[in-house]
Structure formats: C-alpha cells, structure tokens
Amino acid sequence: MIGATLPTVHFTSHLKLHVDCPSVDVSGESLSEVLNSVFEDNPRLRGYILDDQGRIRQHVIVFLDNEPIRERTNWDRPVTPNSEVYVLQALSGG
Amino acid sequence: MSRYRKQILFDGLGEAGQSRLRESRVLCVGCGALGSVIAESLVRAGVGMLRIADRDFVDLSNLQRQVLYDEEDVAQRLPKAIAAANKLRRINSDVVIEPHVADVTCQSVGELCDGVNLIMDGTDNFETRFLINDAAIEAGIPWIHAGCVGAHGQVMAIVPGQTPCLRCLMPEMPGPGTSETCDTAGVIGPAVQIVASLQVVAALKILSGQTELIRPELTVIDVWDGTLRQLKLSGLQEAGGCQCCGRREFPFLHGDEGSRSVVLCGRNSVQVAPSTSGKLSLFDLANRLDPSGEVQANPFLVRFRPDESEHELTIFADGRAIITGTEDLAEAKSLYARYIGA
Ligand SMILES: [Zn+2]
C-alpha cells in the first residue's frame, strides 16, 4: 500500500506494456470518482480501460478492495481512504 | 513407490494422496510453454495417465522457455505432442502418455475430455479457453486456467459447483487484437515456470482428492516486480447470472461461437475469422507487429511477414485474417493466436 490517506489504484503489469501507469494515490469517494481522476491525469489510459461508450472493456476486470466489480457501466461503489483499486487485463499467452 | 518417497513424506499428500494421484487421468490442452512445465511436473509426480493435445510443431523460437523440447526436435520438425510424449516416457515409464496431434475444437473436445479427472490449460488463446470452460462445466470436470505474458501471469482453478468459472470472470471473449501475446510482447522462462507450477500445485490438490482446498480466487503474479496477489472471486457467482455455469448454456461447445476458419482452395491460404465482432485498431496492430517482422499497412489492412517465416498474414479491420503459405487450419489458427491474439 502506497498511502494510508488516499485510495490507491494499481494496474496489472500487462497494461504497463501499452501505457505508462504506475500505482497512484488519488482522491475520490466513489470508484468512478477515483477512476475519473486517474484518467484526468493519464488520458491515454482511459482508452485501454473503457470502450468508446464508457464501459469497462471486456478483457479488463476492476477489483475494489480485492473484490471484483461486476458492473461494466455503473461503478458508484463507495471507496474509503484505505481502499485499493486493482485494474487487471486478461492474458492470452501461454 | 520409492520413486515417490519424498512426495509421500510431504504432509499435504501422504500415502493416500499419492495412491489417488497414481490413479488419476489428466488432459493437458496445449503443450507449449505452460504445457511443457505442467506435463513434466505431473508425469514426475506420478499421475496415472496424461493425455496431451497440441496442434503445433516444435520451432527454434520455442526452446527459450518450452522446457520439454530440444534442438533435435526442431531438426526433425516433430509435432509438440509427439516430442513431448517421447521425452515424458523417458522421464517416467509408469505413466501412460497419450499424445494427440490435434486442434482442440468443438468437434474434438468431447472425446479428448472423455474419462479425465482434470483439464490443464496450456493454451495460448481465449477461443480454446472458452471452449474448455464450456466442456469442463458441462461435464463437471475441474480445470486450471492460466495465462502468461512478459513477466506476468494469472492462475485460476475452476471447480464446477464450487468456484466461479472463467466466464463468471470474463462474460465475453476479448476481441481480436485487444491484448498482447507472447509473440508481440515477449515472455521470460521464469514467469512461465512459476505460473505453470502454481497450476500444478492446484492440480496436486485436486488429483489427490482434496478438491475442497481449492478457493475461489485469481492469483496474479509478476516475477520481475516480485509481487503475488490473490484476488477474491467469491462474489462473482450470482444466482444464475453466468451463461455457462449458471444457465448451463454452452455456445462454444455447440459451435455457435468460435472462429470460422476455412481453407481457401488453390491459394495455399487459410482464412481465419474471429467469433467476436468489433473493429480492430490496424494502426496499433501494425505498431505491435513491427518488431517481429516486415509490416505494411494501409487504412484497410495490415500485411505482415514474420521474420524467418514462409507465411504472410493479411489482417483486416474486422479481425479477419488471410494466412498464406499454409492449407492447414490448425497451423493458421496457431499463427493467428500468436500474432493477432484471440
Ligand atoms: Zn460461470
């Protein structure tokens, strides 16, 4: 955990191949506020995580505090200052 | 049993676990990087029977991480299933090895799964994984999914009726070209070894009769960063929400989904058409393929000739590809999975 005062967002290593996205602490009281503030600072990242209709892409899975978010459009889940968001991309190789 | 003495001494297995293991029958789908490690470990551990299905030949570029193969196999251009079987029989002659040089399709998957206690994911593409998921859930066979690219990997053990399935996690198949493959982003041997080893640990639990030890979680590792996360999946299985394990509909198994591939007669080529619709970013694809060979792109298509290859791939924005230099469907689908990814 990076900060104990703001929610932290981590990205799977696989996303880092496409776009620079280190773990960040950002403010926000809901999951969407947190993600939107990440995208404001890192606009290229938005296209890797959301499709052109603003839905989470099929091969991307967002975890809030270790639990998967099922909804692809509505992420008004509350987050706490200690929350961890983890953005995962499915892997094809093997 | 002196061969397995160290394993029997291990508390988690013991005599009882080892004898269950000796009676077990496993299918390994794909025998590339993950599959090599899986097959070798399970054969050394003393499963009863290992069935291996792979559609590919051994190539020099495999040797960096596909630990079952050597230069002799490349020189002979042996199918991986055969080269693997040769090696595995020398490792442990107690184990029945059943190689199948075959593409795992909705036609062949039923027979391949027949009589096995467990299915291991050694594949390199989502299409086959969605098919395995359907087949496994339908027949009630546990399977252990994994993927690995770069230094990064994911492992998920799926036990029908006990854990969420792959489609609980990923309801739809990712579109073509949406994610990197080992042929575009690279992969290092240690990542493969660790990911496959985690699959084998789950396999040992199941095959020794301790399926209750399998938890609904996705393990995500990065061997370069030295991180391991276990993400909880228990919330995923809402009542009836999943098409596969909830509603028990199996479109991949029944051939309603899955790519449509055809040999283009007299043209020495195969057309591979993905099951998912959606536009491919040709620009991104061209950039991604650039380090791996010769790329020409225009707004309608990308033409790609991999280094040291007689094949040429022409990829259209709808995800369809024409692969020249082969009339073999399995080889064409394998090239598609390697370079475009699905
Ligand atoms: Zn499911």
Side-chain angles (χ1 to χ4, degrees):
Chain A
M1 196 180 293
I2 291 180
T5 52
L6 284 176
T8 306
V9 187
H10 304 281
F11 301 92
T12 174
S13 323
H14 194 42
L15 267 171
K16 294 175 190 161
L17 295 169
H18 301 267
V19 53
D20 190 32
C21 49
S23 296
V24 284
D25 288 354
V26 287
S27 56
E29 288 181 357
S30 68
L31 183 59
S32 54
E33 282 178 27
V34 165
L35 287 178
N36 280 323
S37 67
V38 172
F39 298 148
E40 260 166 47
D41 297 337
N42 195 345
R44 277 195 63 216
L45 195 53
R46 177 188 292 270
Y48 284 100
I49 296 175
L50 304 182
D51 65 16
D52 42 20
Q53 277 135 55
R55 291 175 306 205
I56 296 177
R57 288 185 179 277
Q58 288 295 349
H59 59 294
V60 173
I61 303 140
V62 176
F63 288 81
L64 170 59
D65 295 324
N66 203 19
E67 301 272 354
I69 301 298
R70 281 189 62 100
E71 303 83 5
R72 296 204 167 259
T73 48
N74 171 22
W75 355 283
D76 281 331
R77 301 271 185 114
V79 297
T80 70
N82 293 317
S83 284
E84 272 195 304
V85 177
Y86 187 71
V87 180
L88 181 96
Q89 191 182 11
L91 287 181
S92 73
Chain B
M1 289 291 248
S2 66
R3 176 192 279 265
Y4 308 114
R5 205 172 66 86
K6 298 278 164 59
Q7 205 165 279
I8 292 167
L9 279 173
F10 172 65
D11 232 16
L13 288 171
E15 292 270 5
Q18 186 65 35
S19 40
R20 293 285 294 262
L21 198 59
R22 285 295 295 130
E23 284 158 20
S24 65
R25 300 164 62 84
V26 182
L27 167 66
C28 185
V29 181
C31 202
L34 293 172
S36 280
V37 178
I38 292 166
E40 181 178 339
S41 305
L42 290 179
V43 164
R44 287 188 190 277
V47 295
M49 187 279 284
L50 180 68
R51 186 176 292 156
I52 297 167
D54 193 286
R55 64 188 179 189
D56 211 358
F57 290 83
V58 184
D59 178 86
L60 187 63
S61 69
N62 301 149
L63 300 189
Q64 161 257 358
R65 65 196 182 287
Q66 302 189 11
V67 294
L68 276 180
Y69 310 120
D70 58 36
E71 293 178 4
E72 190 57 34
D73 302 322
V74 177
Q76 294 186 44
R77 248 180 96 73
L78 281 182
K80 287 183 183 174
I82 302 300
N86 292 343
K87 199 107 352 136
L88 293 166
R89 288 176 180 136
R90 288 204 292 275
I91 289 171
N92 190 347
S93 57
D94 286 354
V95 178
V96 177
I97 310 290
E98 206 187 277
H100 292 258
V101 182
D103 195 14
V104 178
T105 63
C106 56
Q107 285 90 16
S108 65
V109 72
E111 208 170 318
L112 288 167
C113 292
D114 189 43
V116 302
N117 309 107
L118 178 68
I119 304 167
M120 301 295 281
D121 177 3
T123 69
D124 61 358
N125 64 88
F126 286 116
E127 193 184 338
T128 312
R129 290 184 180 121
F130 274 57
L131 174 63
I132 297 172
N133 192 66
D134 267 11
I137 299 297
E138 203 255 354
I141 304 169
W143 77 284
I144 309 193
H145 159 61
C148 189
V149 169
H152 175 53
Q154 299 169 2
V155 182
M156 177 180 176
I158 294 155
V159 180
Q162 180 176 325
T163 70
C165 79
L166 184 64
R167 293 196 60 207
C168 292
L169 186 69
M170 251 187 291
E172 303 293 329
M173 190 153 36
T178 47
S179 60
E180 297 277 2
T181 72
C182 295
D183 286 86
T184 58
V187 61
I188 55 173
V192 170
Q193 301 256 354
I194 291 190
V195 169
S197 297
L198 291 172
Q199 285 179 279
V200 172
V201 171
L204 292 178
K205 290 178 181 170
I206 292 171
L207 298 174
S208 64
Q210 304 174 84
T211 306
E212 71 281 0
L213 299 179
I214 301 294
R215 288 188 303 244
E217 61 194 13
L218 177 73
T219 302
V220 179
I221 63 159
D222 187 303
V223 299
W224 203 255
D225 295 349
T227 55
L228 184 147
R229 272 169 191 272
Q230 286 174 318
L231 300 162
K232 274 190 232 144
L233 301 179
S234 38
L236 274 182
Q237 236 176 343
E238 284 168 14
C242 172
Q243 183 185 26
C244 183
C245 70
R247 301 206 302 274
R248 296 192 66 80
E249 293 167 12
F250 308 108
F252 296 91
L253 187 59
H254 297 141
D256 308 333
E257 305 279 346
S259 70
R260 313 270 185 261
S261 305
V262 283
V263 178
L264 303 176
C265 294
R267 289 178 52 190
N268 190 29
S269 44
V270 172
Q271 172 176 282
V272 180
S275 62
T276 45
S277 54
K279 256 182 140 31
L280 186 68
S281 166
L282 291 174
F283 178 78
D284 286 351
L285 182 70
N287 281 335
R288 193 136 48 81
L289 292 174
D290 191 53
S292 317
E294 196 187 309
V295 177
Q296 288 172 288
N298 65 36
F300 311 103
L301 59 86
V302 171
R303 190 162 288 162
F304 170 60
R305 188 181 284 276
D307 288 331
E308 297 163 40
S309 164
E310 316 89 78
H311 300 105
E312 188 175 270
L313 288 75
T314 304
I315 307 112
F316 301 87
D318 60 1
R320 195 167 44 83
I322 293 180
I323 297 168
T324 57
T326 182
E327 290 193 349
D328 181 345
L329 284 179
E331 186 180 33
K333 282 161 79 176
S334 162
L335 285 161
Y336 190 96
R338 284 174 62 182
Y339 292 109
I340 302 159

